[in-house]
Amino acid sequence: MTKPTSLEIIEKIVREWFRREMSMDLQTIDYDMPFLDLAIDSLGAISITAEIEDAFGKRINPELLYELDSIRDLAAHLDSLPKFLASGSVASDDLASDNSASDDLASVSASELDSSTDPSEGDRIAEDPISYFTRLNRKVNTAKEQGVYPFEPEISAHDGVWVQCEGKRMLMLASYEYLGLLGHDELDRAAEAAILDFGTGHHGSRLLTGTTSNHCDLEFRLAHWMRADDAIVFSSGYVANLATISALVGPGDYIVGDNLNHASIVDGCRMSGAEFKEFKHNDMDELVSLLLESGGRRTLVVVDAIFSMEGDIVDLPSVIEICKKNKALLMVDEAHSMGVLGKTGAGIQEHFGLAADDIDIKMGTLSKSLAGSGGFVAANSQIITYLRHHARGYIFSGALPSVYANVAIAALEVLRREPSRVEQIWKNVEYYHAGLKRLGFDTGASETPIVPIMTRTNDVTMAFTQLCRSEGLLVVPVCYPAVPMDSPRLRTCITSTHQQSDLDFALDVLARAGRQCGIIH
């Protein structure tokens, strides 16, 4: 019997997935057809990847179904990898049941695959090790060569909501600097004063010699603002989530999170070693169901307040009620809700009128509404004390430079004095949302200054981005893995300092580009 090639094995797995999950009988699939054109979503990618791993005994990342594009590319990549499993069957019983195939793949062992499809160990060692990354960078390199790479646009000047970007004056419609405090005179003076007092860096980690009076002052103010006993400042929001979650729970514990939580939350959950489950976005019934599986273990529930790619708000009152009934700790990421939700911008507690102790752990950033850098957690003093001595991202990282602590202090003072900034952002959000709806754009479930514009395919997303930028509107595309494979979009963000004329300009550009791309009519 002729042994199947890697191409044939992968094609059979993909066809079987379509038969089983989509009730579609595809006799053959073009080896060069992009996986995205086959409408395989992110959950499908994970499922198919697991089956391919079992068949080849090799570890691969589900994102490769996006990066490598096609069956031919994936097969070439797999042939270059060493095995990680000692043995295993090539095909499941489901694969064997597909009588349309000419080969009985279920009878081929992993060892037979080694001899028929894998290059020798010597060939793998001789291969240029950089070629692995070159293969994964193919899309990026091609986009750069064609002059259509949309990420890391270089901003050389800043003037309110307008920026100089790559030789063109553009309206910024992608910043999460929601309150217009970037470049504010008071924040600039606070930065200058801190540099004069403490310099540009620090003397070490916070636990050793890196703590200054500015850090202590900021933590006192953040605790008061968040209505908590105490607060702890980290070098970034990402580190705050990673360090806090992985310190609070560990092996033997249980974590449940919304499946659209930010990547820093997901990474912290995985790093903790606790069993980690996700419930469907804002699905309280599934949250209850997953908590019933905790088996009495110490349990942490983690959710975003505003979801960074969807722009909607968590059903927090329901989450709180469920957590209390199940004796679960609750952590809420307020990165995008601080300065945005609530009459004075105090966040989701103020928005829903919650009691001070309804949320156990309150995380936030200093880099969005507060126009600086860093992250923090506010909580019961015992939790904060524990984090200071057990959160590895705090203990083993250099301190947040004192200059950023002073900038955050100044930003909090401006926000306290000028709550009208919060009122203005919501006026702008209402105007912009109404304009997009009138034009016929799909903005998903957005109800905040984060407003996605759904685009259907990656190609349309990139073309839409380029057309907007060519007319002076700085927008950013968002594709898999930041969002599910089947829901690429532009993520646009509104600030309190956008004037109505700015929003009209943005809507005009979006309308022309959207019609040209076929997103609207």
Side-chain angles (χ1 to χ4, degrees), residues 136 291 293 410 425 473:
L136 296 185
L291 285 176
E293 298 177 13
I425 197 172
L473 183 64

Side-chain angles (χ1 to χ4, degrees), residues 258 279 282-284 287 291 301-304 314-326 328-332 358:
D258 191 291
F279 60 94
N282 255 339
D283 186 332
M284 297 300 108
L287 172 58
L291 285 176
V301 173
V302 192
V303 293
D304 270 311
V314 69
D315 180 7
L316 194 57
S318 295
V319 174
I320 290 169
E321 181 181 358
I322 292 166
C323 286
K324 287 182 176 179
K325 285 182 179 178
N326 290 273
L329 273 174
L330 173 61
M331 178 173 174
V332 178
D358 278 340

Side-chain angles (χ1 to χ4, degrees), residues 255-496:
I255 309 177
V256 181
D258 191 291
N259 72 338
L260 294 185
N261 278 344
H262 189 266
S264 60
I265 296 175
V266 175
D267 290 351
C269 293
R270 290 172 176 166
M271 181 177 169
S272 72
E275 184 179 358
F276 173 40
K277 297 288 186 72
E278 293 179 293
F279 60 94
K280 294 185 185 71
H281 181 49
N282 255 339
D283 186 332
M284 297 300 108
D285 290 338
E286 188 168 16
L287 172 58
V288 171
S289 178
L290 289 176
L291 285 176
L292 291 175
E293 298 177 13
S294 69
R297 286 174 287 176
R298 196 156 62 90
T299 300
L300 174 68
V301 173
V302 192
V303 293
D304 270 311
I306 293 178
F307 291 88
S308 61
M309 293 299 167
E310 308 301 316
D312 60 343
I313 301 170
V314 69
D315 180 7
L316 194 57
S318 295
V319 174
I320 290 169
E321 181 181 358
I322 292 166
C323 286
K324 287 182 176 179
K325 285 182 179 178
N326 290 273
K327 294 182 172 57
L329 273 174
L330 173 61
M331 178 173 174
V332 178
D333 181 330
E334 292 227 53
H336 291 275
S337 56
M338 289 171 44
V340 171
L341 294 183
K343 186 176 180 180
T344 67
I348 199 162
Q349 296 178 106
E350 185 178 46
H351 175 76
F352 282 117
L354 303 175
D357 60 353
D358 278 340
I359 304 171
D360 299 302
I361 302 115
K362 309 162 188 180
M363 176 271 174
T365 65
L366 311 177
S367 60
K368 296 178 173 62
S369 291
L370 301 187
S373 186
F376 72 91
V377 167
N380 178 280
S381 60
Q382 295 305 314
I383 289 177
I384 299 302
T385 297
Y386 180 82
L387 291 176
R388 290 191 194 280
H389 298 87
H390 293 85
R392 294 174 67 84
Y394 180 83
I395 299 170
F396 298 109
S397 288
L400 178 76
S402 191
V403 58
Y404 292 116
N406 222 32
V407 165
I409 291 169
L412 286 171
E413 176 57 27
V414 173
L415 180 56
R416 183 197 65 76
R417 195 176 64 241
E418 301 177 15
S420 59
R421 290 176 180 267
V422 180
E423 181 182 358
Q424 184 59 49
I425 197 172
W426 285 100
K427 289 180 180 177
N428 289 347
V429 168
E430 182 179 3
Y431 185 84
Y432 180 63
H433 269 276
L436 291 175
K437 184 177 180 180
R438 185 173 61 252
L439 290 168
F441 284 110
D442 176 5
T443 58
S446 173
E447 52 186 322
T448 67
I450 299 173
V451 189
I453 299 177
M454 311 309 289
T455 51
R456 294 196 298 273
T457 72
N458 285 355
D459 288 343
V460 170
T461 306
M462 297 306 172
F464 194 17
T465 300
Q466 293 300 321
L467 286 169
C468 288
R469 291 185 182 181
S470 70
E471 291 202 44
L473 183 64
L474 184 52
V475 294
V476 294
V478 181
C479 302
Y480 181 82
V483 294
M485 278 186 176
D486 55 354
S487 58
R489 66 199 67 182
L490 298 190
R491 185 181 77 165
T492 62
C493 296
I494 302 304
T495 72
S496 64

Side-chain angles (χ1 to χ4, degrees), residues 210-281:
T211 295
T212 69
S213 55
N214 283 354
H215 293 114
C216 297
D217 187 8
L218 174 60
E219 288 171 341
F220 175 82
R221 292 169 184 259
L222 287 170
H224 181 265
W225 192 44
M226 301 298 288
R227 293 191 295 154
D229 289 347
D230 200 357
I232 179 174
V233 168
F234 294 86
S235 56
S236 75
Y238 182 93
V239 170
N241 273 333
L242 201 70
T244 298
I245 295 170
S246 61
L248 292 178
V249 288
D253 296 329
Y254 191 63
I255 309 177
V256 181
D258 191 291
N259 72 338
L260 294 185
N261 278 344
H262 189 266
S264 60
I265 296 175
V266 175
D267 290 351
C269 293
R270 290 172 176 166
M271 181 177 169
S272 72
E275 184 179 358
F276 173 40
K277 297 288 186 72
E278 293 179 293
F279 60 94
K280 294 185 185 71
H281 181 49

